[in-house]
Amino acid sequence: MLVRTEWVLDEEESLKHLKFAYDHGINTWDTANVYSDGGSDRIFGKAIRQFNIPRDRFMILTKVHGVVKDEVGAKGKNPDEKGYVNRHGLSQDPQHLLCRQPRSSTTSMCCRSIASTMRPPLKTMQALHDVVQAGYVRYIGASTDNSWCMQNYAISNRLTPFISIQNFYHVAYREEEREMLPTARLFGAGVIPWSSLVRGFLARPYGTETVRTKSDRLYKQRPGGEPAPSVLEIKKRVEELAEKRGMSMAQVALAWNLSKPDVTAPIVGSTKIDNLKDLIKGVHLKLSEEEIKYLEEPYVPLKSKGARSIPNS
């Protein structure tokens, strides 16, 4: 997706992945305005046109939050110093934000906002409602925010509500069961966990190094040091169960996510077609109640990590 870090695929490989995914029944693609500084969105648009995918056969989920830079991989902590105007979150011109997508897709996209706990619900929900009313997007969803506050405000004030909640939820991090999942259940919103494999942490034995573990800033960003003992124990049990069942660790982690009634569909990513094939097979694998209990048994409460990578305390 226009190389920004070493593990990110280039355009040619990205197009192969998207074609393979679509041909095997995957019709919902998750991206964001800032992924590869807009490169991800552009490649999605190219794939749809190049492979002649009918507009009523797919859904694009995008996010509005960070600043999209003019140059891919451009560094600098303060975008305003570069002379950017209206590039922050929903201050961006929606037409400029969405122009990277196919022209026929702008009214059917799903727009998500990673909301700050310091931002009042009025500003966020009114802005998202305005984008829907203008016809730029069809639905909105929440991504890693205090969902109850936002959703309740929208419904109480007749604004467009979230139809889905995208959250950090996997077998080694279940804090979402306290507020996010009950909120989704109450309001009838779908749950689509992101990073279900925790950037590959649950897909391979601990200590295994890959291009991504060496270069992904968020994978290496472990506040306080190594993962918590309970997290490592769960990872160990995922590996044990995978070996016992003749499954991959990724399939076990995915099967756990799919076993939860609140989960509509987990979001997964891959940089290899073989890994994508493995994940597709994993959709059809089931864990027994005893296996689920075995995986969950070591879990202890953890601090809320939000967009952090691997829980450590």
Side-chain angles (χ1 to χ4, degrees), residues 22-40:
Y22 179 74
D23 287 345
H24 287 79
I26 298 175
N27 61 1
T28 302
W29 298 335
D30 180 72
T31 182
N33 61 332
V34 295
Y35 289 174
S36 293
D37 294 315
S40 176

Side-chain angles (χ1 to χ4, degrees), residues 8 133 136 139 193 196 215 231 262 299:
V8 177
Q133 292 296 299
Y136 295 125
Y139 307 106
S196 299
S215 60
V231 173
D262 290 315
Y299 190 81

Side-chain angles (χ1 to χ4, degrees), residues 227-254:
S230 61
V231 173
L232 289 178
E233 177 59 28
I234 292 172
K235 179 182 174 73
K236 177 183 175 182
R237 294 190 180 201
V238 169
E239 184 178 0
E240 289 178 359
L241 185 55
E243 185 175 347
K244 179 181 178 181
R245 287 280 306 270
M247 301 164 61
S248 68
M249 290 179 64
Q251 288 175 336
V252 172
L254 187 63

Side-chain angles (χ1 to χ4, degrees), residues 50-80:
Q50 181 172 316
F51 303 131
N52 295 315
I53 301 175
R55 185 60 194 90
D56 60 355
R57 298 294 182 88
F58 68 91
M59 174 70 77
I60 295 178
L61 315 183
T62 192
K63 308 177 190 70
V64 287
H65 175 61
V67 174
V68 179
K69 304 180 182 68
D70 290 334
E71 298 178 10
V72 177
K75 297 182 178 180
K77 293 185 177 180
N78 187 356
D80 293 328

